[in-house]
Amino acid sequence: MKRLILTSTVAGLMLGSSLAAAAKVELIVDYPYPQMFNSVHEELAKKFNEKFPDYTVKFRAPTPEYETAAQQALRHAVTNQLADVSFQGLNRQRVFVDRGIAVDLTPFIEAEEGWAERGYSESLMSLGQVNDVQSGIGFSLSTPIVYYNADLIRAAGGDIDALPTTWDDIIALADQSREANRGTYGLHYDWEITGNWLWQSMVFSKGGSMLDEAETKVAFNNAIGRESIEQMGRMVANDTMQNYSFNEALQLFVSGKMAVFSSSTSRLTSIEEQIGDRFEMVTGFFPLYGDEGRVPAGGNVAMMFAQDPERQKAAWEYIKFVTGPEGAVVMTKNTGYFPANMLPIEDPNGLKGFYDENPNQYTAVQQLPWLTGWYAFPGENGLKITDVINDNLQTVFDKSEQPLVALDKMSEEVQKLLTR
């Protein structure tokens, strides 16, 4: 009798252990930019596991930037190795929707009670929508901004409380600083940033667009596009901007030898840490022209690739957690990005105190009214188009080609890729 009871007990324990193991779902997650996000994702995964002990998170080796992240995911789709949750650049969602890889999050959202009160504004949710598919939810968002060395600007007689609002005035201020502060440099425009982001920023800030409404013809070769590329030409015409790589220019800026540096707000925390107490740095708005001027949202969204219902359930919980208020606070305080969830921004226990103490971080949030989407070119050649634009912009900044000639070549090459 004792043996029967013992056998039954062991069997029961084994069954319980088996059920516990079955309940445990290990989510596979991938993301880009390890230098910015490693610590963020590790902290979020730990907090998530504490809240949901039946779920664990396993990270794949992160990719260096958005193009690589997209290419890797497309390869994994072919080999059935897709992650359950993937963090992809805002401008790379389209390829996953077009190929039926992205899971539409709309049914998951509609099944949630009180979703409207959870801090996800319609305008920010729209950044994760492609062709009527809610392909992602914003995790970390950014806007282009302008960084200023306040010490150099003041030494040159500039007013740091009345920063310039046009690029020509920014160039003039950078030249003024070069003249007053011998041995220093003027400015750097981070045109090489992933996805032609600062090319789009320049065009969108003037009310322009990449393609026509039908998405069959290049639209950046009009008057706005010409002014945009000529503006870039004026940055380098008198050596206000040198043909430096991003890393070279960044080192000049953080060491106190450059007056103006324009890039993404996502770099803010890292830049502040590198500057330390060398000089005072302030951030300013990206110049806008006219009522139609906009700035493209940068950053990445959490996308669901999982197909199994149980894994989808776990993936949805993870996406809600990392994009919700708790995830938003962790992400924002450890990067220069701002969240796609608005609840913590005005919450004294969330981010309100943080922004009060870090006004440079608040610059991007103030640009929210002018936010627009980061454009993704359609079709199989979307990634190739990005490379074509990048290659032609290079000729402007190294002065091997006149700006309008470069624009003509860029337009012609992009048009050919559109019509294939």
Side-chain angles (χ1 to χ4, degrees):
M1 185 67 175
K2 288 183 179 180
R3 185 174 181 179
L4 178 60
I5 293 173
L6 181 61
T7 303
S8 299
T9 302
V10 171
L13 288 172
M14 291 178 64
L15 177 60
S17 175
S18 176
L19 289 173
K24 202 85 168 178
V25 175
E26 184 182 66
L27 283 170
I28 306 300
V29 178
D30 59 24
Y31 64 90
Y33 291 109
Q35 69 275 23
M36 291 185 191
F37 289 115
N38 272 350
S39 61
V40 172
H41 282 294
E42 287 168 6
E43 182 175 349
L44 289 177
K46 180 181 177 182
K47 289 178 178 292
F48 175 75
N49 187 231
E50 291 170 354
K51 189 173 183 179
F52 297 93
D54 284 343
Y55 301 145
T56 59
V57 177
K58 180 179 180 181
F59 294 115
R60 288 206 173 126
T63 47
E65 37 76 32
Y66 294 138
E67 277 68 40
T68 308
Q71 290 165 349
Q72 175 180 273
L74 291 174
R75 289 195 300 271
H76 286 162
V78 175
T79 58
N80 293 318
Q81 293 178 302
L82 280 167
D84 299 303
V85 176
S86 183
F87 292 83
Q88 294 287 336
L90 286 167
N91 67 327
R92 296 304 171 204
Q93 297 172 89
R94 184 172 188 161
V95 66
F96 299 109
V97 173
D98 290 348
R99 300 190 185 194
I101 296 170
V103 175
D104 188 354
L105 300 178
T106 303
F108 297 89
I109 293 170
E110 291 176 346
E112 292 285 334
E113 293 185 10
W115 181 262
E117 289 76 48
R118 297 196 190 176
Y120 298 95
S121 72
E122 288 187 17
S123 60
L124 294 181
M125 284 292 287
S126 70
L127 299 176
Q129 295 168 4
V130 178
N131 298 333
D132 299 322
V133 172
Q134 188 72 50
S135 54
I137 295 180
F139 171 63
S140 58
L141 302 178
S142 63
T143 63
I145 57 173
V146 185
Y147 299 79
Y148 295 90
N149 181 321
D151 292 4
L152 292 181
I153 299 301
R154 290 194 186 99
D159 185 355
I160 209 68
D161 295 318
L163 295 171
T165 58
T166 69
W167 280 110
D168 285 339
D169 286 344
I170 291 175
I171 292 170
L173 181 62
D175 283 333
Q176 184 178 331
S177 177
R178 278 200 302 165
E179 182 67 25
N181 302 286
R182 293 295 182 177
T184 65
Y185 298 81
L187 67 84
H188 185 78
Y189 188 76
D190 188 13
W191 66 272
E192 290 180 286
I193 203 167
T194 183
N196 312 138
W197 194 51
L198 281 183
W199 164 243
Q200 292 190 20
S201 298
M202 187 68 77
V203 174
F204 293 166
S205 72
K206 297 173 170 60
S209 57
M210 292 292 102
L211 300 181
D212 64 1
E213 288 189 12
E215 295 191 308
T216 58
K217 293 182 180 179
V218 168
F220 55 71
N221 57 353
N222 60 5
I224 289 175
R226 291 193 293 274
E227 167 56 26
S228 296
I229 206 159
E230 286 185 316
Q231 181 67 78
M232 291 177 166
R234 290 197 290 276
M235 292 178 179
V236 299
N238 298 310
D239 293 332
T240 310
M241 174 176 166
Q242 306 282 334
N243 184 31
Y244 288 130
S245 69
F246 164 76
N247 286 326
E248 291 170 330
L250 178 63
Q251 288 309 306
L252 288 172
F253 183 74
V254 300
S255 65
K257 295 181 180 179
M258 182 177 287
V260 182
F261 189 84
S262 183
S263 187
S264 168
T265 184
S266 66
R267 305 195 192 279
L268 181 54
T269 297
S270 174
I271 286 176
E272 287 181 327
E273 289 174 351
Q274 291 179 71
I275 290 172
D277 58 1
R278 286 195 188 100
F279 61 89
E280 180 188 356
M281 187 270 290
V282 299
T283 60
F285 295 144
F286 191 89
L288 293 178
Y289 298 80
D291 294 339
E292 300 301 314
R294 296 289 183 269
V295 290
N300 58 78
V301 295
M303 304 184 72
M304 184 191 297
F305 292 162
Q307 297 298 319
D308 175 77
E310 283 302 310
R311 302 191 74 79
Q312 286 185 344
K313 179 181 177 182
W316 177 237
E317 292 296 345
Y318 191 67
I319 289 172
K320 286 191 298 179
F321 180 78
V322 298
T323 64
E326 188 172 355
V329 171
V330 172
M331 182 280 298
T332 303
K333 288 186 175 182
N334 288 280
T335 71
Y337 288 93
F338 63 92
N341 192 294
M342 294 293 98
L343 283 184
I345 290 181
E346 296 301 328
D347 182 356
N349 297 317
L351 293 171
K352 183 167 178 52
F354 172 77
Y355 283 126
D356 290 342
E357 296 173 4
N358 297 273
N360 281 333
Q361 294 269 7
Y362 199 56
T363 299
V365 178
Q366 291 176 288
Q367 291 189 147
L368 281 175
W370 310 304
L371 212 60
T372 189
W374 187 0
Y375 187 73
F377 288 94
E380 295 290 328
N381 293 319
L383 291 173
K384 290 181 181 178
I385 289 173
T386 298
D387 292 338
V388 163
I389 292 175
N390 200 70
D391 291 344
N392 282 282
L393 290 177
Q394 172 67 67
T395 67
V396 175
F397 287 101
D398 66 19
K399 295 194 282 190
S400 63
E401 200 71 85
Q402 290 298 310
L404 292 182
V405 174
L407 181 66
D408 287 342
K409 290 183 177 180
M410 182 197 303
S411 304
E412 182 179 344
E413 290 173 24
V414 171
Q415 189 62 54
K416 287 180 180 178
L417 290 171
L418 285 173
T419 53
R420 282 185 185 176

